[in-house]
Amino acid sequence: MAQSYIPAGTDVICTEMLSTLPSQIVTEREAKVLYGKESKALLNTFDKKLSCQLQCRIKVSYYEGLSSLLLGLALGAAVVALTVLTFGAGTAVVAAAVLTTGALGGAAIFYGDKAHKSRQAPHECDSTQGGTWELYHSNVYIEKANALLERSFLTCKKGGVVSLVMSHEKALELSKKISDSNKKILELNYYSNASQGFIGSVANAFKASGAGDVVGLIIGSDWRCMIMFRVQTRTIVIKICRISMNMLVKS
C-alpha cells in the first residue's frame, strides 16, 4: 500500500491523551519543500512540535495518584483522631492524630491542584520534541532528514505514542475513544489509591500504643506505596514526622 508524505498541520493523537480533540504536527523550520495550493511544508523526522497539548494522562496520573493516596491516609487518620478523642485518649495521642490528619489533608489538596494545573499547562506536550520518530521513509529525504509517512509514529519521552491521522473526522473519533478510556483508568486508580490509603492507615493506627505510634503507623501503613512517588512524597512524610516528634517532646 502506497504511503503519503505528511504535510504540516496533519492531525495527531496520543495513546496517553485526555483531550477529546486531536492536535496537529507542525514545523518550526523554514521549509523549502512545500505541498499543495496552500504551500504546506512536507514534514521530516526533525519535526516534532505539536500545535497544542493533549493533556497527558501520565503526569496527571502521577499527581492524582499521590493526591488520592494522601487523601485516603488523611481520612483514615481522621477516623483514628475521632476514635481516640471519643474514648478519652491522652492529649498527646489526640493531638498527634489531629496534626497528622491536617498535614496529610493539606498535602492531598496541594497535589490535587498540581494535577489540575498539569491538565491545563499550555506546553505540556513539548516533551515530544525529545522523542523519536519510527517507521519513516528510509530512502527519501526532505531537507536532509528522512521523510515522514502515514505509518510513522513518534514516541514521546514521557511514554506516550503519537500517531498521524490523515482524516480529521477519524482523528476526532479516535481522540474521543482514547480520552474516555484514559479517564476511566484515572478514575479507577484514584479510588483504588484512596481506599488503600484509608484502609491501611486505619488498620495499622489502631495497633498504636502512644502518640508516636499513631503518627508512625498511619504514615508507615502505606510507605510501600508512597515510595513510588519520588522525592516529594518522602519530603512530606519527613516534615509530618518532625512536626509530630517536636510536639511530643514539648508534651
Side-chain angles (χ1 to χ4, degrees):
M1 180 178 177
Q3 291 280 316
S4 300
Y5 298 118
I6 307 300
T10 297
D11 285 329
V12 294
I13 57 174
C14 179
T15 54
E16 303 300 332
M17 67 190 296
L18 293 173
S19 173
T20 56
L21 297 174
S23 185
Q24 291 75 42
I25 187 77
V26 297
T27 184
E28 296 180 299
R29 58 190 167 81
E30 187 176 346
K32 297 177 182 178
V33 179
L34 306 176
Y35 168 81
K37 295 180 180 179
E38 298 179 3
S39 298
K40 293 183 177 180
L42 286 179
L43 302 181
N44 61 30
T45 52
F46 285 157
D47 299 313
K48 303 173 183 178
K49 174 72 174 176
L50 303 190
S51 61
C52 61
Q53 71 120 324
L54 293 169
Q55 299 183 14
C56 181
R57 181 192 66 85
I58 294 173
K59 191 167 184 179
V60 173
S61 179
Y62 164 67
Y63 285 127
E64 281 196 352
L66 181 52
S67 175
S68 60
L69 182 59
L70 289 166
L71 177 62
L73 289 168
L75 291 174
V79 170
V80 174
L82 180 62
T83 303
V84 296
L85 181 62
T86 302
F87 286 93
T91 303
V93 175
V94 175
V98 171
L99 179 61
T100 305
T101 302
L104 290 169
I109 294 172
F110 173 78
Y111 282 103
D113 183 61
K114 295 274 282 186
H116 174 72
K117 289 180 178 178
S118 68
R119 288 175 183 262
Q120 310 303 323
H123 301 292
E124 189 63 38
C125 286
D126 282 354
S127 57
T128 57
Q129 296 186 72
T132 304
W133 280 105
E134 303 288 347
L135 298 183
Y136 45 79
H137 203 304
S138 59
N139 298 320
V140 175
Y141 291 79
I142 296 176
E143 298 177 26
K144 300 181 180 181
N146 295 89
L148 295 184
L149 300 171
E150 291 179 53
R151 69 189 183 194
S152 303
F153 62 90
L154 175 62
T155 303
C156 175
K157 65 180 183 180
K158 288 185 178 179
V161 177
V162 178
S163 302
L164 299 158
V165 184
M166 305 306 290
S167 165
H168 183 62
E169 290 72 22
K170 190 66 175 178
L172 290 172
E173 178 187 347
L174 292 173
S175 296
K176 180 68 166 55
K177 288 182 178 180
I178 296 171
S179 174
D180 289 346
S181 177
N182 284 331
K183 286 175 181 176
K184 287 180 181 178
I185 293 172
L186 281 180
E187 184 178 359
L188 288 172
N189 287 341
Y190 187 91
Y191 288 113
S192 175
N193 288 333
S195 60
Q196 186 174 8
F198 176 79
I199 294 170
S201 63
V202 171
N204 284 282
F206 280 111
K207 300 175 184 177
S209 59
D213 285 346
V214 169
V215 176
L217 286 173
I218 289 173
I219 297 172
S221 61
D222 265 321
W223 179 256
R224 63 186 181 279
C225 300
M226 297 178 76
I227 196 69
M228 296 185 295
F229 286 102
R230 299 183 182 178
V231 177
Q232 292 100 319
T233 307
R234 296 195 293 271
T235 302
I236 293 170
V237 174
I238 291 170
K239 287 182 178 178
I240 294 172
C241 289
R242 285 177 178 173
I243 293 171
S244 300
M245 292 307 296
N246 288 336
M247 181 193 67
L248 293 175
V249 170
K250 291 179 181 178
S251 63

